Amino acid sequence: ATGNTNVLVGAGDGTLAFINPNLNLVAGYKTTLMGGITSISMHPKTKKFAIGTDQCNRYELSPDLIDAELKTSCHFGPISDVAFPQGCPDLVVTSSIGDIRVWNTKAKQELLRIQVPNLECTCSQVSPSGSAIISGWDDGKIRAFYPESGRMKFVIPDAHSEKVTALAIADNDARSPWRIVSGGGEGRVRIWKVTSSHQAMLCSLKEHRGPVNCIKINSDSSQCISASSDGSCIVWDLDRCVRITALFEPNVFESVLYHPDESQMLTCGSNHKITYWDAADGQTIRVIEGGDDGMTTLDILPSGEFFVSGSRDKQLKIWHYDDGLPIAVGRGHSGTIKAVKVSPDERMVVSVGSTGEIIFWEMPDLEQARQSLLEVL
């Protein structure tokens, strides 16, 4: 590989070494990288080696194998969730198998990796003050980390008997106490009180008969809505811990959200459709065809005029809320879109997928979209 008789060899445990024609290791030329080595190439412009691993890390390695520089990295498994810190479009948090990562959206580079080996992070949120990354895991625990260092802030053990499948944050965590609402694979919705010294369960609500896939909180943190695979979405009173209304549909609900004025709710699920609901009485207002396969995720702009959807058909769509028509379609995913989020400055949309990709989409010209919709209608 170097033009000499020695050959650079990469192994499945991440070891890189030179071997001589007798297949013996060359002394002093050996290093270990993260992930099994899958490709080795000479850099076209320098004398360095370009190395790829099965954990989606790409390194540049000096000829003496001493200096290994990580050039790019990404998740190597399905990405289950994505979140922006409040009012901060420069950072985005993604959760996947074994880790949570914080990315710089401008440089598209990884800033922080929080590793919890052999577990899957199923959902994550950044607290409103930005002081913690709250995450749910498939071992039934809720873990909170400091976003600067990645150190553990607190852990709620046995938050759910099965995996934690949904999380939402009520109240502003700058004022103690504040609350976390979590949903589990066993169908329970639980409300947790968090102070600087301890975390305690306030109540456990058991009405869903299937996994809770999504939880959203209203603006004043008095209510939340939970969407479940059992074909129901339930609106809960967070202060009295009772059910207010329920929405039913023959559907596996994957995502739910409040319209910003909270007069309506949007849901999507396995029936390929996006449904508008009246928040007052829980009645269906309208149903639109969302895609060619099950719908998986929704997000809405703060104005409420446009919303974004992701689907198993690998398409991301931006919709006009009142007209129910798509104004833009994004194709780039190679698998199911697991989550989408609009950046706080509304200039881009970030989507994550089941094949480990993170895609940054430029928001289309919304004024131009309004004009073209007027012409169509």
Side-chain angles (χ1 to χ4, degrees), residues 140-177:
K141 293 180 181 176
I142 296 172
R143 294 176 171 87
F145 302 94
Y146 289 101
E148 298 92 352
S149 62
R151 287 189 304 111
M152 183 83 76
K153 186 173 185 179
F154 64 80
V155 60
I156 303 176
D158 303 316
H160 289 273
S161 58
E162 295 182 27
K163 63 184 177 183
V164 181
T165 51
L167 278 179
I169 298 169
D171 319 310
N172 189 331
D173 61 311
R175 293 189 303 275
S176 184

Side-chain angles (χ1 to χ4, degrees), residues 1-3 73 85 101 106 148 170 184 199 212 222 232 301 314 340:
T2 58
S73 64
R101 302 190 192 192
K106 288 191 168 65
E148 298 92 352
Q199 304 80 43
V212 179
S222 63
S232 70
L301 273 70
K314 309 171 190 172
V340 296

Side-chain angles (χ1 to χ4, degrees), residues 191-318:
I191 304 170
W192 306 88
K193 179 173 130 182
V194 181
T195 67
S196 55
S197 58
H198 74 283
Q199 304 80 43
M201 186 169 74
L202 295 174
C203 66
S204 178
L205 306 166
K206 173 65 174 146
E207 289 204 33
H208 288 300
R209 295 190 305 279
V212 179
N213 296 322
C214 185
I215 295 174
K216 288 292 192 304
I217 307 242
N218 69 348
S219 58
D220 64 358
S221 299
S222 63
Q223 296 178 10
C224 77
I225 182 167
S226 57
S228 172
S229 298
D230 64 2
S232 70
C233 293
I234 298 177
V235 181
W236 306 93
D237 186 311
L238 290 180
D239 299 320
R240 296 183 296 133
C241 298
V242 294
R243 184 175 92 170
I244 299 172
T245 53
L247 324 175
F248 296 102
E249 198 173 52
N251 188 10
V252 175
F253 285 111
E254 295 282 0
S255 187
V256 62
L257 56 80
Y258 283 100
H259 187 275
D261 69 9
E262 295 179 11
S263 64
Q264 295 179 11
M265 280 98 76
L266 273 184
T267 62
C268 74
S270 61
N271 63 356
H272 307 192
K273 293 176 173 57
I274 298 168
T275 309
Y276 296 60
W277 304 82
D278 190 317
D281 57 9
Q283 295 299 308
T284 306
I285 296 171
R286 78 193 293 187
V287 180
I288 58 175
E289 194 68 39
D292 300 329
D293 206 337
M295 306 299 294
T296 54
T297 178
L298 295 169
D299 195 27
I300 194 163
L301 273 70
S303 66
E305 190 177 2
F306 297 93
F307 69 92
V308 185
S309 72
S311 169
R312 293 185 198 281
D313 67 5
K314 309 171 190 172
Q315 293 184 24
L316 177 134
K317 293 183 181 177
I318 300 176

Side-chain angles (χ1 to χ4, degrees), residues 21-259:
N22 299 325
L23 301 185
N24 295 321
L25 288 173
V26 178
Y29 288 89
K30 185 178 175 183
T31 190
T32 303
L33 304 177
M34 281 179 61
I37 310 301
T38 53
S39 59
I40 301 173
S41 177
M42 282 295 293
H43 198 286
K45 295 192 175 69
T46 65
K47 290 192 173 178
K48 292 184 175 180
F49 297 105
I51 312 291
T53 76
D54 62 6
Q55 289 192 8
C56 292
N57 297 320
R58 184 169 66 82
Y59 294 90
E60 275 190 8
L61 199 60
S62 60
D64 56 8
L65 306 191
I66 293 174
D67 296 324
E69 183 185 357
L70 180 65
K71 300 301 281 186
T72 57
S73 64
C74 196
H75 292 285
F76 56 88
I79 304 175
S80 51
D81 206 357
V82 59
F84 279 97
Q86 195 168 314
C88 178
D90 297 337
L91 301 175
V92 70
V93 179
T94 57
S95 48
S96 180
I97 295 172
D99 59 20
I100 297 170
R101 302 190 192 192
V102 181
W103 306 84
N104 181 324
T105 58
K106 288 191 168 65
K108 312 291 188 286
Q109 282 189 319
E110 182 184 323
L111 300 176
L112 175 70
R113 187 182 303 190
I114 303 167
Q115 292 185 301
V116 184
N118 305 320
L119 293 176
E120 181 181 357
C121 181
T122 53
C123 47
S124 58
Q125 295 277 329
V126 183
S127 64
S129 70
S131 64
I133 297 171
I134 316 294
S135 57
W137 296 78
D138 63 354
D139 63 348
K141 293 180 181 176
I142 296 172
R143 294 176 171 87
F145 302 94
Y146 289 101
E148 298 92 352
S149 62
R151 287 189 304 111
M152 183 83 76
K153 186 173 185 179
F154 64 80
V155 60
I156 303 176
D158 303 316
H160 289 273
S161 58
E162 295 182 27
K163 63 184 177 183
V164 181
T165 51
L167 278 179
I169 298 169
D171 319 310
N172 189 331
D173 61 311
R175 293 189 303 275
S176 184
W178 50 288
R179 293 170 294 175
I180 296 172
V181 185
S182 65
E186 78 289 347
R188 284 182 170 83
V189 175
R190 289 180 167 167
I191 304 170
W192 306 88
K193 179 173 130 182
V194 181
T195 67
S196 55
S197 58
H198 74 283
Q199 304 80 43
M201 186 169 74
L202 295 174
C203 66
S204 178
L205 306 166
K206 173 65 174 146
E207 289 204 33
H208 288 300
R209 295 190 305 279
V212 179
N213 296 322
C214 185
I215 295 174
K216 288 292 192 304
I217 307 242
N218 69 348
S219 58
D220 64 358
S221 299
S222 63
Q223 296 178 10
C224 77
I225 182 167
S226 57
S228 172
S229 298
D230 64 2
S232 70
C233 293
I234 298 177
V235 181
W236 306 93
D237 186 311
L238 290 180
D239 299 320
R240 296 183 296 133
C241 298
V242 294
R243 184 175 92 170
I244 299 172
T245 53
L247 324 175
F248 296 102
E249 198 173 52
N251 188 10
V252 175
F253 285 111
E254 295 282 0
S255 187
V256 62
L257 56 80
Y258 283 100
H259 187 275

